[in-house]
Amino acid sequence: VIHDDFDYSLTDMAALSGVSYSTIKTLAKSLERHGILIMTRRVGKAQMYRLDPTNPAVVKLKELYWTVAKRSARKNIVPAKR
């Protein structure tokens, strides 16, 4: 969600998420079928994917992510001492 202008291989997604490659592969098929994940290009044998920014579910996910991130940041801000 943070770097939504980048695309990632399944191997990248597995490494960055801490989820096994086989699980990512299964999830990616389902997410692609539902139009949440789109294949952007091939690099050698690797297929590269990203979230589909036109999918309403992706739009809502991004809104939720940034709302939570902003609230968390505000909560953790410590006022400067004068």
Side-chain angles (χ1 to χ4, degrees), residues 44-59:
K45 290 184 181 180
Q47 296 176 332
M48 305 298 283
Y49 296 90
R50 64 183 284 195
L51 293 173
D52 182 351
T54 65
N55 184 299
V58 172
V59 172

Side-chain angles (χ1 to χ4, degrees), residues 15 20 36 38 40 45 50-51 53-54 65 68 70 74 77:
S20 74
I36 294 171
I38 54 174
T40 56
K45 290 184 181 180
R50 64 183 284 195
L51 293 173
T54 65
Y65 174 85
V68 171
K70 287 174 187 175
R74 276 191 226 114
I77 292 175

Side-chain angles (χ1 to χ4, degrees), residues 4-75:
D4 60 354
D5 51 338
F6 294 131
D7 52 4
Y8 300 91
S9 69
L10 297 179
T11 302
D12 292 337
M13 287 187 246
L16 293 168
S17 67
V19 176
S20 74
Y21 177 83
S22 60
T23 300
I24 291 292
K25 189 173 179 179
T26 301
L27 288 171
K29 287 179 187 177
S30 178
L31 293 172
E32 192 174 15
R33 223 178 7 260
H34 287 90
I36 294 171
L37 201 62
I38 54 174
M39 190 181 85
T40 56
R41 62 192 171 117
R42 291 181 185 269
V43 178
K45 290 184 181 180
Q47 296 176 332
M48 305 298 283
Y49 296 90
R50 64 183 284 195
L51 293 173
D52 182 351
T54 65
N55 184 299
V58 172
V59 172
K60 289 292 186 186
L61 173 65
K62 288 180 183 181
E63 288 173 6
L64 174 62
Y65 174 85
W66 288 113
T67 298
V68 171
K70 287 174 187 175
R71 285 185 185 165
S72 178
R74 276 191 226 114
K75 184 178 179 182

